[in-house]
Amino acid sequence: MSKVNKVVLAYSGGLDTSVILEWLKDTYNCEVVTFTADLGQGEELEPARQKAQQFGVKEIYIDDLREEFARDFVFPMFRANAIYEGEYLLGTSIARPLIAKRQVEIARETGADAVAHGATGKGNDQVRFELGYYGLEPGIKVIAPWREWDLLSREKLLAYAEEKGIPIEGKKEGGSPYSMDANMLHISYEGGILEDPWAEAEESMWKWSVAPEDAPDKPQYVELTFEHGDCTAIDGQAMSPAGILSKLNELGAAHGIGRLDIVENRYVGMKSRGCYETPGGTILLKAHRGIESITLDREAAHLKDELMPRYAKLIYNGYWFSPEREALQAAIDQTQQVVNGVVRVKLYKGAVSVVGRKSDTNSLFDERIATFEDDAGAYDQKDAEGFIKLNALRLKLQSRHRS
Amino acid sequence: MSKVNKVVLAYSGGLDTSVILEWLKDTYNCEVVTFTADLGQGEELEPARQKAQQFGVKEIYIDDLREEFARDFVFPMFRANAIYEGEYLLGTSIARPLIAKRQVEIARETGADAVAHGATGKGNDQVRFELGYYGLEPGIKVIAPWREWDLLSREKLLAYAEEKGIPIEGKKEGGSPYSMDANMLHISYEGGILEDPWAEAEESMWKWSVAPEDAPDKPQYVELTFEHGDCTAIDGQAMSPAGILSKLNELGAAHGIGRLDIVENRYVGMKSRGCYETPGGTILLKAHRGIESITLDREAAHLKDELMPRYAKLIYNGYWFSPEREALQAAIDQTQQVVNGVVRVKLYKGAVSVVGRKSDTNSLFDERIATFEDDAGAYDQKDAEGFIKLNALRLKLQSRHRS
Amino acid sequence: MSKVNKVVLAYSGGLDTSVILEWLKDTYNCEVVTFTADLGQGEELEPARQKAQQFGVKEIYIDDLREEFARDFVFPMFRANAIYEGEYLLGTSIARPLIAKRQVEIARETGADAVAHGATGKGNDQVRFELGYYGLEPGIKVIAPWREWDLLSREKLLAYAEEKGIPIEGKKEGGSPYSMDANMLHISYEGGILEDPWAEAEESMWKWSVAPEDAPDKPQYVELTFEHGDCTAIDGQAMSPAGILSKLNELGAAHGIGRLDIVENRYVGMKSRGCYETPGGTILLKAHRGIESITLDREAAHLKDELMPRYAKLIYNGYWFSPEREALQAAIDQTQQVVNGVVRVKLYKGAVSVVGRKSDTNSLFDERIATFEDDAGAYDQKDAEGFIKLNALRLKLQSRHRS
Amino acid sequence: MSKVNKVVLAYSGGLDTSVILEWLKDTYNCEVVTFTADLGQGEELEPARQKAQQFGVKEIYIDDLREEFARDFVFPMFRANAIYEGEYLLGTSIARPLIAKRQVEIARETGADAVAHGATGKGNDQVRFELGYYGLEPGIKVIAPWREWDLLSREKLLAYAEEKGIPIEGKKEGGSPYSMDANMLHISYEGGILEDPWAEAEESMWKWSVAPEDAPDKPQYVELTFEHGDCTAIDGQAMSPAGILSKLNELGAAHGIGRLDIVENRYVGMKSRGCYETPGGTILLKAHRGIESITLDREAAHLKDELMPRYAKLIYNGYWFSPEREALQAAIDQTQQVVNGVVRVKLYKGAVSVVGRKSDTNSLFDERIATFEDDAGAYDQKDAEGFIKLNALRLKLQSRHRS
């Protein structure tokens, strides 16, 4: 075991990371700096400070990262229309690199030589955290207690907590049976009954959104304004990136939008069942595709579509801070200069539909050309013959040998 | 104008193709063979026969192609999870090659030297038909009246029809303001008010499905069985491919599922607004992804996801009968041998959600490994450290030069 | 035929474009502006001026575009390691957009409403010119005489030339049997005996390079310095982009480097035989890959390799000025910041080999880690076990069902 | 350490694998089965048998796998024109899966519960072997002595050998300073002076081929016949796959063809310098591209080009036995049915050039269409106008907003 002087711990204030806090001191005999991030998960952060103080932590960081998260992580990702495996909006994946980045920064500020996180050895998050750490600070020491310690069973962990005087209320007698993660983009559920992929998720599991069945019986219409591919206003009201996301979450949750139940492929090799609520993100994705549909050139759009699965996979796998993600981002961002305009969406009983889109400055939709009515010469139908004949030429040549 | 002896016309029995029928005889002084296909568009075909007879056509083909369409075109396409531009299920695109193929076969059977279709010079369908013709029969002559004649305005067309004694009931006093196409996969709408992409489609436009608002207030659950990537039974009831598609259409339409309103990029260069109803296909796509999620290997699935946009574009653009589509199909089909099992979906107010999936023979989901609970050694968490460290190595090396 | 007032003609001063010059005046009764570009093709340009004057042209543009060509077209393309169909270095393709761009600029300067070029209706160059024109100036009129006139046979063309008093020396009694194109990146040959793809090209055809058999019996070593992916010095001597290309051409030609004989697929649908000499470019490509090999991150390099065929195809097909090429370029350029260092190549009898590469500032090659000798703990071999086991996990899971 | 009863060792008969043999018995107290494969590496295999007997091995497998290697591994890979990182022909990578497969088969035949190999913990080969083992036999135990033992320095290894009575002639007093691997596709060199990427490889290192400088002063011409993408005859002489490869090696080596010196990216994360001789493969690759150039449809060829880097990477990384490699192979093989004909190549001083190609049955090259001479109407140049105009339409539309 390598020597550690000071470690920056990603600290939620909950039972697990409190146990880790104590275990780090015990095991490494080192100083611990706690770092708690507000990513819009909707929890009080002050209790985390109090708990950290209680455990004798001297350097306590509690940072509101909501705007940075929305602006520099969520929004760039949505420019790509990123979806993992056709379904997942990457809500957890996109938050990890920011936490890792801030941990590394705090390590530099506090002179710490190590960082630690509370992710298990079976999941994707350990990878996302650690690729972030190593990619930003190659010499840093990384401590992943779940892979090191022997507190693998719940009983052992609780015993250790009791021994250390860590409060375990709530945890003992039940609490949620799910492993959850939340930030302003989404909330996720794993474990419990979900480990049987044939079993339907219980209604009681979902925390953010109403059930589509309980959503209003009347649809609601919303207009999203986009500038350079980012949403900047809702119903004409300009907002910050985090403001946009919050407002869309509110709207989506009220209409039962953005629930997802999938079996996904983890980077570490196994399949796992996950349920997600991404109310605002689900609206945003649909609307972004809508505004692109009238402003983005066909081949630029198709290029994006072909690159997207790879881009989404990079984020899922934890490669946000990598040269290949940055190269893809450069390509994506290059296309978004023209993505300006307004999209009108309808929210109803769990579904979001685009019903209108317009762009004063960048619309490529030309009614004169598209119309099946007389277009007064805007498009010469005879051109199509040559177009088809030359595109068919190679097919004709190879077809000769088939017959 | 090249000489034509006999031409096989894709004939619907409607006004436009009836005008074409007469115009072909007039213009080319040739014999016309009519071909009318039942692709499940839900129209009577006998009137087409009667009309053709009325116009003196001697060789009249009316073919029920529903099973071939579902089995050899729709199902292979759904194995790929094909979606064009993130939204469109390719309902029109996938039908054109089959019509072209059958026209070419009939041309061979009847000794015809030409084929003709009623698609305009502005759309994708002309391309799809003609690439099909040329790809299957390189020497065939192709007649596209809409690109040749001077009947481009509605008035001229009606005048010509009147002159030729072609019945024009319905067309004069209104009828649908939309240009529509239907087959057992979908119905599409273009034109009319849709030419303004900001205007919402009118409820009266939609022909197949109830509005989500009018769908039942209680969700319905359905189980789809898959074998080798194709759906073979619904709620345990085995059916033919066309039977599956019909049943899913019925279920989907009743729940307002599968409506779509988009601006898409045509192959001939412009953007156009289209609305679509694909009730059964929408369910099928979701369920197919669901069964793949527990049976298909991660990297095979990701490969498919990365190839899909290109595959969908090929179909959209009319390249079904092309070496590159066939190569991609070979790759896709190769992956589907293991795609066996059952998916349970919930239908409610316009949305379809997967709520369960299982596979007795091919599940790759292993609760023992995925669990966050104690797994009795099925997975060694310590392996993750090496996995991460080696994946991080290149990032560490390049990061050194950054700081 | 649409009315034309003034047309900017891409004018070489040769027989064909001189005939076009006269034909344009005759046919369109318009003014002609001639534009002759120095792209390093190694021909005197003053004769073109004199001829244009002789034909009464009032606005004559003769521009030295060599530096712009090398800096803004050739170098960005080489950052991508672009090769079409595994072989072709795109020497003609990359020059056309620059000519088109300059023609459009001149049209704006001179108030011309049309542009014209001398490319035939069978080749790629018409497409490259015209996509450039339309992409930069959507309303411009384009005249492609070879697709319009009836001078398709050599006899008719010569007769027309004689009638118009256009000098045809050289052309009558032979001259080269090949259709050629040259610029500072390459010279190309098509036609003549090459139309039989089984026939070997004659030694007399090659104009620039010595035959490998006649190259020096001793190899020559050269060092190329790269900054941000571009070659900036040869053997320590700093040079401009055009200077670099000229010097490499000289070196390559002397050693018989860069000859190529291929059958390629034209964008307009047919296969064609082409022979090419690209002496400097062949060295540059090899060296660029060499410097990337020690400075570029693995996954960034692999991403580039996967995007390259598509990028090369875009250039081949004439889409330089397109949103999708620009998006790819942004990705490529993003990766090149770290591509700094020196490559040592050996030139010998037609072959160029990289024999050394180094980078003081950006080498990712770490002898300590790569060595099979004892590395003093720089790399922990035990990490490999976890790496392999987790990568194997999905294979193990799916393999169970196979046996 | 898990219990092992019987292990199948990939055994070369050399010092290292002999040490491993003894170490396995010592460490695991298990029975060892040796397996020695003839992959055309050009070494006597009988000494391996004698040595194994000497060490008391009872089950000794010595298999001639040359035909299987060429037919089922090398040839399918060459159908893809596979090259890793633009340079490397994958000679080592493609051999490992076959060895792994045979080891697993022998384990089944002999009732062994484990397999072992002699690859180090730093290289790619450990990954290739082990992914093969796990992919074919998920429950097998894998022993990688280099990652387990403490014989990491040369001295310790030799001391152990001496102690066990393992002959170490040659190794003590020099021998090659390089780490080498050979099979009938190639020979590779790593280590020694190559660990400095700026240092040129010594002439004495290369074992198979003459230096280009020492190759004949006269070029040699060879004709390769292809059927369905595989080479089946040389100069009209039909041969087995292994026969083809041997003959091409002979020809290539005599002309100094196929030497390569690169820095490559290992899967385990670091860059490493490697030198390779692949004389026959280099000829084969060039010729295969040549025959494809006249028989393969353009878009099928481009699809292959775009998939190739990914396919090559899979093989390099050890994923031969994976669903994604098999899917890609299905696509590639699908395209090769038409790849039939003859290619004529010129071998001279280290270079191989295609100088002619023909196909009686599948040529898509049509002189009538390609010619710039009068083509008697085979191609209508006017078609190009429509082709260009429709391809330009989207560019024109988006260009409007730029100016």
Side-chain angles (χ1 to χ4, degrees), chain B residues 268 299 306-307 310 324 327 331, chain D residues 299 306-307 310 324 327 331:
Chain B
V268 292
E299 294 302 316
E306 292 192 41
L307 295 179
R310 173 192 284 258
E324 66 274 24
Chain D
E299 295 301 316
E306 292 192 42
L307 296 178
R310 174 192 283 257
E324 66 273 25

Side-chain angles (χ1 to χ4, degrees), chain C residues 47 97 109 123 155 164 221 227 291 361 381:
Chain C
E109 287 166 34
E155 291 71 36
K164 295 286 169 184
Y221 289 83
E227 295 176 38
I291 190 62
T361 53
Q381 302 213 16

Side-chain angles (χ1 to χ4, degrees), chain D residues 156-192:
Chain D
K156 284 191 188 165
L157 189 91
L158 292 175
Y160 185 90
E162 214 146 352
E163 183 195 324
K164 295 288 169 182
I166 299 166
I168 49 176
E169 355 69 40
K171 284 291 168 180
K172 252 179 175 163
E173 77 281 359
S176 168
Y178 303 104
S179 169
M180 293 189 281
D181 174 68
N183 60 51
M184 68 189 313
L185 182 53
H186 92 339
I187 182 167
S188 69
Y189 311 88
E190 290 185 296

Side-chain angles (χ1 to χ4, degrees), chain C residues 101 110 113 128 182 247 274:
Chain C
K101 169 172 169 275
T110 60
D113 54 342
R128 295 164 186 156
K247 181 65 185 172

Side-chain angles (χ1 to χ4, degrees), chain B residues 73-74 76-78 80 82-84 88-97 124 128 131 308-322 325 329 332:
Chain B
F73 292 78
V74 175
M77 180 174 78
F78 273 78
I83 312 179
Y84 181 65
Y88 173 44
L89 296 190
L90 297 163
T92 300
S93 326
I94 191 62
R96 299 321 193 188
N124 295 305
R128 296 165 185 154
L131 292 179
M308 186 276 283
R310 173 192 284 258
Y311 174 89
K313 182 176 186 169
L314 287 174
I315 293 177
Y316 186 87
N317 287 355
Y319 292 94
W320 181 264
F321 296 114
S322 73
R325 204 278 308 170
Q329 193 72 56
I332 290 157

